[in-house]
Coordinates of all heavy atoms in Angstrom, one line a residue:
M1 N 58.6 118.5 -35.5 CA 57.7 119.0 -34.5 C 57.3 117.7 -33.6 O 57.0 116.7 -34.2 CB 56.5 119.6 -35.2 CG 55.4 120.0 -34.3 SD 54.0 120.7 -35.3 CE 54.7 122.3 -35.7
E2 N 57.3 117.8 -32.4 CA 56.9 116.8 -31.5 C 55.4 116.5 -31.7 O 54.7 117.3 -32.0 CB 57.3 117.0 -30.0 CG 58.8 117.1 -29.8 CD 59.5 115.9 -30.1 OE1 59.0 114.7 -29.8 OE2 60.6 115.9 -30.6
A3 N 55.0 115.2 -31.3 CA 53.6 114.8 -31.5 C 52.6 115.7 -30.8 O 51.6 116.0 -31.4 CB 53.5 113.3 -31.1
K4 N 52.9 116.0 -29.6 CA 52.0 116.9 -28.8 C 51.7 118.2 -29.5 O 50.6 118.6 -29.6 CB 52.5 117.0 -27.4 CG 51.5 117.8 -26.5 CD 52.1 117.9 -25.1 CE 51.1 118.7 -24.2 NZ 51.5 118.8 -22.8
E5 N 52.7 118.8 -29.9 CA 52.7 120.1 -30.6 C 51.9 120.0 -31.9 O 51.1 120.8 -32.3 CB 54.0 120.7 -30.8 CG 54.1 122.1 -31.4 CD 55.5 122.6 -31.6 OE1 56.5 121.8 -31.4 OE2 55.6 123.8 -32.0
F6 N 52.2 118.9 -32.7 CA 51.6 118.6 -33.9 C 50.1 118.4 -33.7 O 49.2 119.0 -34.5 CB 52.2 117.4 -34.6 CG 51.6 117.1 -36.0 CD1 51.9 117.9 -37.1 CD2 50.8 116.0 -36.1 CE1 51.4 117.6 -38.3 CE2 50.2 115.7 -37.3 CZ 50.5 116.5 -38.4
K7 N 49.7 117.6 -32.8 CA 48.3 117.3 -32.6 C 47.6 118.6 -32.2 O 46.4 118.8 -32.6 CB 48.1 116.2 -31.4 CG 48.6 114.9 -31.9 CD 48.3 113.7 -31.0 CE 49.0 113.9 -29.7 NZ 48.8 112.8 -28.8
T8 N 48.2 119.5 -31.4 CA 47.6 120.7 -31.0 C 47.3 121.5 -32.2 O 46.2 122.1 -32.4 CB 48.4 121.5 -30.0 OG1 48.5 120.7 -28.8 CG2 47.8 122.8 -29.6
A9 N 48.3 121.7 -33.1 CA 48.1 122.4 -34.4 C 47.0 121.8 -35.2 O 46.2 122.6 -35.9 CB 49.4 122.4 -35.1
I10 N 46.9 120.5 -35.3 CA 45.9 119.9 -36.2 C 44.5 120.2 -35.6 O 43.6 120.3 -36.4 CB 46.2 118.4 -36.3 CG1 47.5 118.1 -37.1 CG2 45.1 117.6 -36.9 CD1 47.5 118.7 -38.5
K11 N 44.4 120.1 -34.3 CA 43.1 120.3 -33.7 C 42.5 121.7 -34.1 O 41.3 121.9 -34.3 CB 43.2 120.2 -32.1 CG 43.2 118.8 -31.7 CD 43.3 118.8 -30.2 CE 43.4 117.3 -29.7 NZ 43.6 117.2 -28.2
S12 N 43.4 122.7 -34.2 CA 43.0 124.0 -34.5 C 42.6 124.2 -36.0 O 41.9 125.1 -36.4 CB 44.1 125.1 -34.2 OG 45.2 124.9 -35.1
L13 N 43.0 123.1 -36.8 CA 42.6 123.2 -38.2 C 41.5 122.2 -38.6 O 41.3 121.9 -39.8 CB 43.9 122.8 -39.0 CG 45.1 123.7 -38.9 CD1 46.3 123.1 -39.5 CD2 44.7 125.1 -39.5
K14 N 41.0 121.5 -37.6 CA 40.0 120.5 -37.8 C 38.9 120.8 -38.9 O 38.8 120.0 -39.8 CB 39.3 120.0 -36.5 CG 38.4 118.8 -36.6 CD 38.0 118.5 -35.2 CE 36.6 118.9 -35.0 NZ 36.0 118.4 -33.8
D15 N 38.4 122.0 -38.8 CA 37.3 122.3 -39.8 C 37.8 122.5 -41.2 O 37.2 122.2 -42.1 CB 36.6 123.7 -39.3 CG 35.8 123.5 -38.1 OD1 35.4 122.3 -37.7 OD2 35.6 124.5 -37.3
Q16 N 39.1 123.0 -41.3 CA 39.7 123.1 -42.6 C 40.1 121.8 -43.3 O 40.3 121.8 -44.5 CB 40.8 124.1 -42.6 CG 40.3 125.6 -42.2 CD 41.5 126.4 -42.0 OE1 42.2 126.3 -41.0 NE2 41.7 127.4 -42.9
L17 N 40.3 120.8 -42.5 CA 40.7 119.5 -43.0 C 39.5 118.6 -43.3 O 39.7 117.7 -44.1 CB 41.7 118.8 -42.0 CG 42.9 119.6 -41.6 CD1 43.7 118.7 -40.5 CD2 43.8 119.7 -42.8
T18 N 38.4 118.9 -42.8 CA 37.2 118.0 -43.1 C 36.9 118.0 -44.5 O 36.9 119.1 -45.2 CB 36.0 118.5 -42.3 OG1 36.3 118.6 -40.8 CG2 34.7 117.7 -42.5
G19 N 36.7 116.8 -45.1 CA 36.3 116.6 -46.5 C 37.5 116.6 -47.5 O 37.2 116.5 -48.6
K20 N 38.7 116.7 -47.0 CA 39.8 116.7 -47.8 C 40.6 115.3 -47.7 O 40.5 114.7 -46.7 CB 40.8 117.8 -47.5 CG 40.1 119.2 -47.7 CD 41.1 120.3 -47.3 CE 40.6 121.6 -47.6 NZ 39.1 121.9 -47.5
Q21 N 41.3 115.0 -48.7 CA 42.2 113.8 -48.6 C 43.4 114.3 -47.9 O 44.1 115.2 -48.2 CB 42.6 113.3 -50.0 CG 43.5 112.1 -50.0 CD 43.9 111.6 -51.3 OE1 43.1 111.6 -52.2 NE2 45.1 111.1 -51.4
I22 N 43.7 113.5 -46.8 CA 44.9 113.8 -46.0 C 45.9 112.6 -46.2 O 45.6 111.5 -46.1 CB 44.4 113.9 -44.5 CG1 43.4 114.9 -44.4 CG2 45.7 114.2 -43.7 CD1 42.7 115.0 -43.0
N23 N 47.1 113.0 -46.5 CA 48.2 112.1 -46.7 C 49.2 112.3 -45.6 O 49.5 113.4 -45.2 CB 48.9 112.3 -48.1 CG 47.9 112.3 -49.2 OD1 47.1 111.4 -49.3 ND2 48.0 113.2 -50.1
I24 N 49.9 111.2 -45.3 CA 51.1 111.2 -44.4 C 52.1 110.5 -45.2 O 52.1 109.3 -45.6 CB 50.8 110.5 -43.1 CG1 49.6 111.2 -42.4 CG2 52.1 110.4 -42.3 CD1 49.3 110.4 -41.0
H25 N 53.3 111.2 -45.3 CA 54.5 110.5 -45.9 C 55.3 110.1 -44.7 O 55.8 111.0 -44.0 CB 55.2 111.4 -46.9 CG 56.4 110.8 -47.5 ND1 56.2 109.9 -48.6 CD2 57.7 110.8 -47.3 CE1 57.4 109.5 -49.0 NE2 58.3 110.0 -48.2
F26 N 55.4 108.8 -44.5 CA 56.1 108.3 -43.3 C 57.5 107.8 -43.8 O 57.6 107.0 -44.6 CB 55.3 107.1 -42.7 CG 55.9 106.5 -41.6 CD1 56.4 107.2 -40.5 CD2 56.2 105.1 -41.6 CE1 57.0 106.6 -39.4 CE2 56.8 104.5 -40.4 CZ 57.2 105.2 -39.4
V27 N 58.5 108.4 -43.2 CA 59.9 108.1 -43.5 C 60.5 107.4 -42.3 O 60.4 107.8 -41.2 CB 60.7 109.4 -43.7 CG1 62.2 109.0 -44.0 CG2 60.1 110.2 -44.9
Y28 N 61.1 106.2 -42.6 CA 61.7 105.4 -41.5 C 63.0 104.7 -42.2 O 62.9 104.2 -43.3 CB 60.7 104.3 -41.0 CG 60.1 103.5 -42.1 CD1 60.7 102.2 -42.4 CD2 59.1 103.9 -42.8 CE1 60.1 101.4 -43.5 CE2 58.5 103.1 -43.9 CZ 59.0 101.9 -44.1 OH 58.5 101.1 -45.1
G29 N 64.1 104.9 -41.5 CA 65.3 104.3 -42.0 C 65.6 105.0 -43.4 O 65.6 106.1 -43.6
N30 N 65.9 104.1 -44.4 CA 66.1 104.6 -45.7 C 64.9 104.4 -46.6 O 65.0 104.7 -47.8 CB 67.3 103.9 -46.4 CG 68.6 104.2 -45.7 OD1 68.8 105.3 -45.3 ND2 69.5 103.2 -45.7
D31 N 63.8 104.1 -46.0 CA 62.5 104.0 -46.8 C 61.4 105.0 -46.4 O 61.6 105.7 -45.4 CB 62.0 102.6 -46.5 CG 62.9 101.5 -47.0 OD1 63.4 101.6 -48.1 OD2 63.1 100.4 -46.3
G32 N 60.4 104.9 -47.2 CA 59.3 105.8 -46.9 C 58.0 105.2 -47.5 O 58.1 104.3 -48.4
K33 N 56.9 105.5 -47.0 CA 55.6 105.0 -47.4 C 54.6 106.1 -47.3 O 54.6 106.9 -46.3 CB 55.2 103.9 -46.6 CG 53.9 103.1 -47.2 CD 53.7 101.8 -46.5 CE 52.5 101.2 -47.1 NZ 52.1 99.9 -46.5
Q34 N 53.6 106.2 -48.3 CA 52.6 107.2 -48.3 C 51.3 106.5 -47.8 O 50.9 105.5 -48.3 CB 52.4 107.7 -49.7 CG 51.4 108.8 -49.8 CD 51.9 110.2 -49.8 OE1 53.1 110.4 -49.7 NE2 51.1 111.2 -50.0
Y35 N 50.6 107.2 -46.9 CA 49.3 106.7 -46.3 C 48.3 107.9 -46.7 O 48.6 109.0 -46.6 CB 49.3 106.5 -44.8 CG 50.2 105.4 -44.4 CD1 51.6 105.7 -44.2 CD2 49.7 104.1 -44.3 CE1 52.5 104.7 -43.7 CE2 50.6 103.1 -43.9 CZ 52.0 103.4 -43.6 OH 52.8 102.4 -43.2
S36 N 47.1 107.4 -47.1 CA 46.0 108.4 -47.4 C 44.8 108.1 -46.7 O 44.4 107.0 -46.4 CB 45.7 108.3 -48.9 OG 46.8 108.7 -49.7
F37 N 44.2 109.2 -46.2 CA 42.9 109.1 -45.4 C 41.9 110.1 -46.0 O 42.2 111.2 -46.3 CB 43.3 109.5 -43.9 CG 44.4 108.7 -43.4 CD1 45.7 109.2 -43.5 CD2 44.3 107.4 -42.9 CE1 46.8 108.5 -43.0 CE2 45.3 106.7 -42.4 CZ 46.6 107.3 -42.4
N38 N 40.6 109.6 -45.9 CA 39.5 110.5 -46.2 C 38.7 110.9 -45.0 O 37.7 111.5 -45.2 CB 38.6 109.7 -47.3 CG 39.3 109.6 -48.6 OD1 40.0 110.5 -49.1 ND2 39.2 108.4 -49.2
S39 N 39.1 110.5 -43.9 CA 38.3 110.9 -42.7 C 39.4 111.4 -41.6 O 40.5 110.8 -41.5 CB 37.5 109.8 -42.1 OG 38.3 108.8 -41.4
L40 N 39.0 112.3 -40.8 CA 39.8 112.8 -39.7 C 40.0 111.7 -38.7 O 41.0 111.7 -37.9 CB 39.2 114.0 -39.1 CG 39.3 115.3 -39.9 CD1 38.5 116.5 -39.3 CD2 40.7 115.7 -40.2
N41 N 39.0 110.9 -38.5 CA 39.1 109.8 -37.5 C 40.3 108.8 -37.9 O 41.1 108.5 -37.0 CB 37.7 109.0 -37.4 CG 37.8 108.1 -36.2 OD1 38.4 108.3 -35.2 ND2 37.1 106.9 -36.5
A42 N 40.3 108.4 -39.1 CA 41.4 107.5 -39.5 C 42.7 108.1 -39.5 O 43.7 107.6 -39.0 CB 41.1 107.0 -41.0
F43 N 42.8 109.4 -39.8 CA 44.0 110.2 -39.8 C 44.5 110.3 -38.3 O 45.7 110.1 -38.0 CB 43.8 111.6 -40.4 CG 44.9 112.5 -40.2 CD1 46.1 112.4 -40.8 CD2 44.7 113.7 -39.4 CE1 47.1 113.3 -40.6 CE2 45.7 114.6 -39.2 CZ 47.0 114.4 -39.8
G44 N 43.6 110.6 -37.4 CA 43.9 110.7 -36.0 C 44.4 109.4 -35.4 O 45.5 109.4 -34.7
K45 N 43.9 108.3 -35.8 CA 44.3 107.0 -35.3 C 45.8 106.7 -35.9 O 46.6 106.2 -35.2 CB 43.4 105.9 -35.8 CG 42.1 105.9 -35.0 CD 41.2 104.8 -35.4 CE 39.9 104.9 -34.6 NZ 38.9 103.8 -35.1
A46 N 46.0 107.1 -37.1 CA 47.4 106.9 -37.7 C 48.4 107.8 -37.0 O 49.5 107.3 -36.6 CB 47.4 107.3 -39.2
I47 N 48.0 109.0 -36.6 CA 48.9 109.9 -35.9 C 49.3 109.3 -34.5 O 50.5 109.3 -34.1 CB 48.3 111.3 -35.7 CG1 48.1 112.1 -37.1 CG2 49.1 112.2 -34.7 CD1 49.4 112.2 -37.8
L48 N 48.3 108.8 -33.8 CA 48.5 108.1 -32.5 C 49.5 106.9 -32.7 O 50.3 106.7 -31.8 CB 47.2 107.7 -31.9 CG 46.3 108.8 -31.5 CD1 45.0 108.2 -30.9 CD2 47.0 109.7 -30.3
H49 N 49.3 106.1 -33.8 CA 50.2 105.0 -34.1 C 51.6 105.4 -34.3 O 52.5 104.9 -33.7 CB 49.7 104.2 -35.2 CG 50.6 103.1 -35.7 ND1 50.9 102.0 -35.0 CD2 51.5 103.1 -36.7 CE1 51.9 101.3 -35.6 NE2 52.2 102.0 -36.7
F50 N 51.8 106.4 -35.1 CA 53.1 106.9 -35.5 C 53.7 107.5 -34.2 O 54.9 107.4 -34.0 CB 53.1 108.0 -36.6 CG 52.7 107.4 -37.9 CD1 51.8 108.0 -38.7 CD2 53.3 106.2 -38.4 CE1 51.4 107.5 -40.0 CE2 53.0 105.6 -39.7 CZ 52.1 106.3 -40.4
E51 N 52.9 108.2 -33.4 CA 53.5 108.8 -32.1 C 53.9 107.6 -31.2 O 55.1 107.7 -30.6 CB 52.3 109.5 -31.4 CG 52.8 110.1 -30.1 CD 51.6 110.8 -29.3 OE1 50.5 110.5 -29.7 OE2 51.9 111.6 -28.5
S52 N 53.3 106.5 -31.2 CA 53.6 105.4 -30.3 C 55.0 104.7 -30.7 O 55.6 104.1 -29.9 CB 52.5 104.3 -30.3 OG 52.5 103.6 -31.5
I53 N 55.3 105.0 -32.0 CA 56.7 104.4 -32.4 C 57.8 105.5 -32.5 O 58.8 105.3 -33.0 CB 56.5 103.6 -33.7 CG1 56.0 104.5 -34.8 CG2 55.7 102.3 -33.6 CD1 56.0 103.8 -36.2
G54 N 57.4 106.6 -31.8 CA 58.4 107.7 -31.7 C 58.6 108.6 -32.9 O 59.6 109.3 -33.0
A55 N 57.6 108.7 -33.8 CA 57.7 109.6 -34.9 C 57.6 111.1 -34.5 O 56.9 111.4 -33.5 CB 56.7 109.3 -35.9
T56 N 58.2 111.9 -35.2 CA 58.0 113.3 -35.2 C 57.3 113.8 -36.4 O 57.3 113.0 -37.4 CB 59.4 114.2 -35.0 OG1 60.2 113.8 -36.1 CG2 60.0 113.8 -33.7
F57 N 56.7 115.0 -36.5 CA 55.8 115.3 -37.5 C 56.2 116.7 -38.1 O 56.8 117.5 -37.5 CB 54.4 115.4 -37.0 CG 53.9 114.1 -36.4 CD1 54.1 113.7 -35.1 CD2 53.3 113.2 -37.3 CE1 53.7 112.6 -34.6 CE2 52.9 111.9 -36.8 CZ 53.1 111.6 -35.4
G58 N 55.7 116.9 -39.3 CA 55.9 118.2 -40.1 C 54.9 118.4 -41.1 O 54.0 117.5 -41.4
F59 N 54.9 119.5 -41.7 CA 54.0 119.9 -42.7 C 54.7 119.9 -44.1 O 55.9 120.2 -44.2 CB 53.5 121.4 -42.5 CG 52.8 121.5 -41.2 CD1 53.4 121.7 -40.0 CD2 51.4 121.2 -41.1 CE1 52.8 121.7 -38.8 CE2 50.7 121.3 -39.9 CZ 51.4 121.5 -38.7
S60 N 54.0 119.4 -45.1 CA 54.7 119.1 -46.3 C 54.1 120.0 -47.4 O 54.8 120.8 -48.0 CB 54.6 117.6 -46.7 OG 55.2 117.3 -47.9
S61 N 52.9 119.7 -47.8 CA 52.2 120.4 -48.9 C 50.8 120.4 -48.9 O 50.1 119.6 -48.2 CB 52.8 119.8 -50.3 OG 52.2 118.5 -50.4
V62 N 50.2 121.3 -49.7 CA 48.8 121.3 -50.1 C 48.6 121.3 -51.5 O 49.5 121.9 -52.3 CB 48.0 122.5 -49.4 CG1 48.0 122.5 -47.9 CG2 48.6 123.9 -49.8
S63 N 47.6 120.8 -52.1 CA 47.5 120.7 -53.5 C 46.0 120.7 -54.0 O 45.1 120.3 -53.2 CB 48.3 119.5 -54.1 OG 47.8 118.3 -53.6
N64 N 45.8 120.9 -55.3 CA 44.5 120.7 -55.9 C 44.8 120.2 -57.3 O 45.9 119.9 -57.7 CB 43.7 121.9 -55.9 CG 44.3 123.2 -56.5 OD1 45.2 123.0 -57.4 ND2 44.0 124.3 -56.0
A65 N 43.8 120.2 -58.2 CA 44.0 119.7 -59.6 C 44.9 120.5 -60.4 O 45.5 120.1 -61.4 CB 42.7 119.5 -60.2
V66 N 45.1 121.8 -60.0 CA 45.9 122.7 -60.8 C 47.3 122.8 -60.3 O 48.3 123.0 -61.1 CB 45.2 124.1 -60.8 CG1 46.0 125.1 -61.5 CG2 43.8 124.0 -61.3
C67 N 47.5 122.9 -59.0 CA 48.9 123.1 -58.5 C 49.1 122.5 -57.1 O 48.2 122.1 -56.4 CB 49.2 124.6 -58.5 SG 48.3 125.6 -57.3
A68 N 50.4 122.5 -56.7 CA 50.8 122.1 -55.4 C 51.7 123.1 -54.8 O 52.5 123.7 -55.6 CB 51.5 120.7 -55.4
R69 N 51.6 123.4 -53.5 CA 52.5 124.3 -52.9 C 53.1 123.7 -51.7 O 52.5 123.0 -50.8 CB 51.6 125.5 -52.3 CG 50.9 126.3 -53.3 CD 51.9 127.3 -53.9 NE 51.1 128.2 -54.8 CZ 51.3 128.3 -56.1 NH1 52.2 127.7 -56.7 NH2 50.6 129.1 -56.8
N70 N 54.4 123.7 -51.6 CA 55.2 123.2 -50.5 C 55.0 124.1 -49.3 O 55.0 125.3 -49.3 CB 56.7 123.1 -50.7 CG 57.0 122.1 -51.8 OD1 56.3 121.0 -51.9 ND2 58.0 122.3 -52.6
T71 N 54.8 123.4 -48.1 CA 54.5 124.2 -46.9 C 55.3 123.5 -45.7 O 54.8 122.9 -44.9 CB 53.0 124.1 -46.5 OG1 52.6 122.8 -46.5 CG2 52.2 124.9 -47.5
P72 N 56.7 123.7 -45.7 CA 57.5 123.1 -44.7 C 57.3 123.6 -43.3 O 57.6 122.9 -42.3 CB 58.9 123.3 -45.2 CG 58.8 124.5 -46.1 CD 57.5 124.5 -46.7
K73 N 56.9 124.9 -43.1 CA 56.7 125.4 -41.9 C 55.2 125.6 -41.6 O 54.5 125.8 -42.4 CB 57.3 126.8 -41.8 CG 58.8 126.8 -41.9 CD 59.3 128.3 -41.9 CE 60.8 128.3 -42.3 NZ 61.2 129.8 -42.4
F74 N 54.9 125.5 -40.3 CA 53.4 125.7 -39.9 C 52.9 127.0 -40.4 O 51.7 127.1 -40.9 CB 53.3 125.5 -38.4 CG 51.8 125.5 -38.0 CD1 50.8 124.7 -38.5 CD2 51.4 126.5 -37.0 CE1 49.5 124.8 -38.1 CE2 50.1 126.5 -36.6 CZ 49.2 125.7 -37.1
S75 N 53.7 128.0 -40.2 CA 53.3 129.4 -40.6 C 53.0 129.4 -42.1 O 52.0 130.0 -42.6 CB 54.2 130.5 -40.2 OG 55.5 130.2 -40.8
D76 N 53.9 128.8 -43.0 CA 53.7 128.6 -44.4 C 52.4 127.9 -44.7 O 51.6 128.2 -45.5 CB 54.8 127.9 -45.1 CG 56.2 128.7 -44.9 OD1 56.1 129.9 -44.7 OD2 57.1 128.0 -45.1
F77 N 52.2 126.8 -44.0 CA 51.0 126.0 -44.1 C 49.7 126.7 -43.9 O 48.8 126.7 -44.7 CB 51.1 124.8 -43.2 CG 49.9 123.8 -43.2 CD1 49.9 122.9 -44.3 CD2 48.9 123.9 -42.3 CE1 48.8 122.0 -44.3 CE2 47.8 123.1 -42.4 CZ 47.8 122.1 -43.4
L78 N 49.7 127.5 -42.8 CA 48.5 128.3 -42.5 C 48.2 129.3 -43.6 O 47.1 129.5 -44.0 CB 48.6 129.0 -41.2 CG 48.5 128.1 -40.0 CD1 48.8 128.9 -38.7 CD2 47.2 127.5 -39.9
T79 N 49.3 130.0 -44.0 CA 49.1 131.1 -45.1 C 48.6 130.5 -46.4 O 47.5 131.0 -46.9 CB 50.5 131.8 -45.3 OG1 50.9 132.3 -44.1 CG2 50.3 132.8 -46.4
V80 N 49.2 129.4 -46.8 CA 48.8 128.8 -48.1 C 47.4 128.2 -48.0 O 46.6 128.3 -48.9 CB 49.8 127.8 -48.6 CG1 49.3 127.0 -49.8 CG2 51.2 128.5 -48.9
L81 N 47.1 127.5 -46.9 CA 45.8 126.8 -46.7 C 44.7 127.9 -46.7 O 43.6 127.6 -47.3 CB 45.8 126.1 -45.4 CG 44.6 125.2 -45.1 CD1 44.5 124.1 -46.0 CD2 44.7 124.7 -43.6
N82 N 44.9 129.1 -46.3 CA 43.9 130.1 -46.2 C 43.7 130.9 -47.4 O 42.8 131.7 -47.6 CB 44.1 131.0 -45.0 CG 43.8 130.3 -43.7 OD1 42.9 129.6 -43.5 ND2 44.7 130.5 -42.7
R83 N 44.7 130.6 -48.4 CA 44.6 131.5 -49.6 C 44.2 130.7 -50.9 O 44.3 131.2 -52.0 CB 46.1 132.0 -49.9 CG 46.4 133.1 -49.0 CD 47.7 133.7 -49.4 NE 48.0 134.8 -48.5 CZ 49.2 135.4 -48.5 NH1 50.2 135.0 -49.3 NH2 49.5 136.3 -47.7
G84 N 43.7 129.5 -50.6 CA 43.3 128.8 -51.9 C 42.3 127.8 -51.5 O 41.8 127.5 -50.4
N85 N 41.8 127.0 -52.6 CA 40.8 125.9 -52.5 C 41.6 124.6 -52.7 O 41.9 124.2 -53.8 CB 39.8 126.1 -53.5 CG 38.6 125.2 -53.3 OD1 38.6 124.5 -52.2 ND2 37.7 125.0 -54.2
W86 N 42.0 124.0 -51.6 CA 42.8 122.8 -51.7 C 42.0 121.6 -51.3 O 41.1 121.6 -50.5 CB 44.0 122.9 -50.7 CG 44.7 124.2 -50.8 CD1 44.6 125.3 -50.0 CD2 45.6 124.6 -51.9 NE1 45.4 126.4 -50.5 CE2 46.0 125.9 -51.6 CE3 46.1 124.0 -53.0 CZ2 46.8 126.6 -52.5 CZ3 47.0 124.6 -53.9 CH2 47.3 126.0 -53.5
N87 N 42.3 120.4 -52.0 CA 41.5 119.2 -51.7 C 42.4 118.1 -51.2 O 42.0 117.0 -50.9 CB 40.7 118.8 -52.9 CG 41.6 118.5 -54.2 OD1 42.8 118.6 -54.1 ND2 40.9 118.4 -55.3
E88 N 43.8 118.3 -51.2 CA 44.7 117.3 -50.8 C 45.7 118.0 -49.8 O 46.4 119.0 -50.2 CB 45.4 116.6 -51.9 CG 46.2 115.4 -51.6 CD 46.6 114.6 -52.8 OE1 45.9 114.6 -53.8 OE2 47.6 114.0 -52.6
I89 N 46.0 117.4 -48.7 CA 47.0 117.9 -47.7 C 47.9 116.8 -47.3 O 47.5 115.7 -47.0 CB 46.2 118.5 -46.5 CG1 45.3 119.6 -47.0 CG2 47.2 119.0 -45.5 CD1 44.4 120.2 -45.9
T90 N 49.2 117.1 -47.3 CA 50.2 116.1 -47.0 C 51.1 116.5 -45.9 O 51.6 117.7 -45.8 CB 51.2 115.8 -48.3 OG1 50.3 115.4 -49.4 CG2 52.1 114.7 -48.0
F91 N 51.2 115.6 -44.9 CA 52.0 115.9 -43.7 C 53.2 114.9 -43.8 O 53.2 113.9 -44.5 CB 51.2 115.7 -42.5 CG 50.1 116.5 -42.3 CD1 48.8 116.2 -42.6 CD2 50.3 117.9 -41.9 CE1 47.7 117.0 -42.5 CE2 49.2 118.7 -41.8 CZ 47.9 118.3 -42.1
L92 N 54.2 115.1 -43.0 CA 55.4 114.3 -42.8 C 55.4 113.7 -41.5 O 55.2 114.4 -40.5 CB 56.6 115.1 -43.1 CG 58.0 114.4 -42.9 CD1 58.2 113.3 -44.0 CD2 59.1 115.4 -43.0
A93 N 55.7 112.4 -41.4 CA 56.0 111.7 -40.1 C 57.3 111.0 -40.3 O 57.5 110.3 -41.4 CB 54.9 110.7 -39.7
T94 N 58.2 111.0 -39.3 CA 59.5 110.4 -39.5 C 60.0 109.9 -38.2 O 59.8 110.4 -37.1 CB 60.5 111.3 -40.2 OG1 61.7 110.6 -40.4 CG2 60.8 112.5 -39.3
T95 N 60.7 108.8 -38.2 CA 61.4 108.2 -37.1 C 62.9 108.5 -37.3 O 63.7 108.1 -36.4 CB 61.1 106.7 -36.9 OG1 61.5 106.0 -38.0 CG2 59.7 106.5 -36.6
V96 N 63.3 109.1 -38.3 CA 64.7 109.3 -38.6 C 65.1 110.6 -37.8 O 64.5 111.6 -38.0 CB 64.9 109.6 -40.2 CG1 66.4 109.9 -40.4 CG2 64.5 108.4 -40.9
K97 N 66.1 110.5 -37.1 CA 66.6 111.7 -36.3 C 67.7 112.3 -36.8 O 68.6 111.8 -37.5 CB 66.9 111.1 -34.8 CG 65.8 110.4 -34.1 CD 64.6 111.4 -33.9 CE 63.5 110.6 -33.2 NZ 62.3 111.2 -33.1

């Protein structure tokens, strides 16, 4: 998903993301790194940084202390997010085309 589309989707979820740990798994070349954020402000700055280096974005998973659910599509993400009490949300950012 292109950055503009991803940012629009995230804006619509702002209230549901507040107070949760937000992770970004950043994949570049043959490597990857996980970033974690406890504030939407820090998460937003990271998205802008990844956008500036040409990253595309996706939805990965939501989890809590009991289970984790993969959410590769935005529609899956919305469905699962609204059906549970989640405290950790993971997104994907990649520069690999």
Side-chain angles (χ1 to χ4, degrees):
M1 171 180 292
E2 294 300 319
K4 183 177 180 178
E5 185 180 5
F6 181 75
K7 290 187 298 186
T8 300
I10 294 301
K11 283 180 186 176
S12 71
L13 300 169
K14 186 172 102 173
D15 293 338
Q16 292 173 291
L17 298 177
T18 301
K20 296 180 174 36
Q21 179 177 326
I22 304 169
N23 304 313
I24 299 175
H25 185 77
F26 179 53
V27 178
Y28 53 97
N30 292 327
D31 293 321
K33 186 172 181 181
Q34 182 102 354
Y35 296 87
S36 296
F37 307 94
N38 290 317
S39 77
L40 288 175
N41 188 32
F43 171 68
K45 288 179 182 179
I47 294 301
L48 292 175
H49 170 72
F50 293 134
E51 178 184 21
S52 75
I53 59 175
T56 57
F57 300 90
F59 298 87
S60 183
S61 65
V62 295
S63 61
N64 58 29
V66 178
C67 67
R69 299 277 189 239
N70 289 331
T71 57
K73 297 180 191 172
F74 182 57
S75 59
D76 297 338
F77 178 80
L78 287 176
T79 300
V80 173
L81 186 64
N82 290 319
R83 288 189 180 165
N85 187 13
W86 310 103
N87 57 9
E88 189 171 333
I89 299 171
T90 303
F91 298 101
L92 175 67
T94 182
T95 58
V96 178
K97 304 292 179 192

